[in-house]
Amino acid sequence: MSMNPFDLSGRVAIVTGANTGIGQGLALALAEAGADVALAGRTPAEDTAERVRGLGRRALVVPADFATTAPVQAVVDRTIGELGGLDILVNNAGIIRRADALDFTEEDWDSVIDTNLKSLFFLCQAAGRHMAKQGRGKIINIASMLSFQGGIRVPSYTASKSGVAGLTRLLANEWAAKGINVNAIAPGYIATNNTAALQADETRNRQILERIPAGRWGAPADLGGAAVFLASSASDYVQGHILAVDGGWLAR
Ligand code: NAP
């Protein structure tokens, strides 16, 4: 038994949306800390799986489209069946739609809320039922700066991520006594597909960089330490916290 409170050896994690971007970075960070990882998402995360195996951990690729809640229970069941347990859930899969609030469509509202908030809640529920039975578990939801701020031209995204922050606190209240830690990471501006349009917009890119005290976009690897902390016994008394990893953005 390791004395290192950040050690995840023998733990099994699910990371959603891990074929690219932040999800891939989080899956690799958990694997580096010792966890076996189920990679659940729309595009099969074969590349991430190879890299997890390269770190000496087991990887399971689970195709799942979280536009609806249909695959949720099967993702949890397959992980437990094939990797032998479930200790950590990282809800990372998410989408964004940009349009003026005056023109925003119902489709752009529903698709973002269904993926970012509804599927996230039911994944927490399915994993939480297992974790409550075993009396132990770690849930990490991926929030956003827009869990704290209003944003602009992203109404369904802001609603979903503000909802994720609220749900994280609610679930912590209900499940802390069951040995389940529910927390969130709020990434700042991280260079991924999700922010490609912002990075490509010269004016917005300059405005964003001017406001980040660290003076640079974040990389998915910048979030790894926070994820390992919240997935490990080092955070056993941390509940309902939204941990910003933002280069100082919120401090401005
Ligand atoms: P990304 O590169 O676009 O990755 C999003 C991931 O979610 C991809 O794996 C994507 O799969 C998956 N996904 C989307 N819709 C899905 C669905 N219906 N079913 C299953 N998987 C689905 O973006 P990212 O920046 O890494 O975003 C990851 C998370 O971080 C999101 O929740 C995002 O809101 C959040 N976040 C990002 C930033 C940032 O600056 N980048 C900041 C704050 C929060 P596909 O590849 O198949 O689309």
Side-chain angles (χ1 to χ4, degrees):
M1 181 75 190
S2 165
M3 299 296 286
N4 174 1
F6 298 95
D7 183 20
L8 300 180
S9 300
R11 298 289 153 93
V12 175
I14 293 173
V15 181
T16 67
N19 60 306
T20 182
I22 291 173
Q24 182 175 61
L26 299 178
L28 295 175
L30 297 180
E32 263 171 37
D36 297 321
V37 193
L39 309 157
R42 190 164 52 182
T43 306
E46 299 297 349
D47 172 49
T48 310
E50 272 316 299
R51 293 171 66 179
V52 167
R53 291 181 191 119
L55 293 165
R57 310 313 318 169
R58 292 181 298 159
L60 175 70
V61 176
V62 187
D65 186 342
F66 297 117
T68 73
T69 57
V72 163
Q73 192 60 49
V75 166
V76 169
D77 291 345
R78 271 199 67 189
T79 302
I80 295 167
E82 296 185 39
L83 293 179
L86 176 59
D87 306 290
I88 301 155
L89 168 67
V90 180
N91 277 311
N92 166 79
I95 54 172
I96 191 162
R97 294 280 185 270
R98 296 177 196 280
D100 291 346
L102 288 175
D103 302 323
F104 212 74
T105 66
E106 197 169 338
E107 199 283 325
D108 281 346
W109 179 268
D110 287 343
S111 59
V112 172
I113 297 291
D114 286 352
T115 304
N116 295 12
L117 192 57
K118 185 174 179 184
S119 287
L120 175 143
F121 171 72
F122 285 99
L123 275 159
C124 289
Q125 184 189 64
R129 285 175 175 159
H130 173 80
M131 292 171 175
K133 264 190 238 143
Q134 72 185 6
R136 176 170 64 79
K138 301 276 181 177
I139 295 177
I140 304 168
N141 295 322
I142 301 306
S144 164
M145 294 296 95
L146 303 189
S147 303
F148 302 95
Q149 303 176 308
I152 188 162
R153 304 188 72 248
V154 288
S156 56
Y157 188 81
T158 299
S160 73
K161 294 299 185 177
S162 298
V164 166
L167 261 184
T168 298
R169 291 187 282 258
L170 172 134
L171 294 174
N173 292 338
E174 291 200 19
W175 295 350
K178 301 183 190 300
I180 304 172
N181 295 78
V182 188
N183 291 290
I185 294 172
Y189 284 80
I190 313 295
T192 66
N193 301 335
N194 173 298
T195 50
L198 281 181
Q199 294 168 70
D201 181 332
E202 220 173 281
T203 310
R204 289 287 285 129
N205 188 45
R206 182 174 39 75
Q207 290 168 342
I208 287 165
L209 281 175
E210 279 170 1
R211 197 190 180 285
I212 300 174
R216 64 170 177 88
W217 283 76
D222 286 314
L223 303 165
V228 170
F229 168 60
L230 292 176
S232 71
S233 62
S235 61
D236 279 352
Y237 202 59
V238 179
Q239 298 283 3
H241 187 65
I242 320 292
L243 175 52
V245 181
D246 64 352
W249 175 273
L250 288 179
R252 267 311 258 280

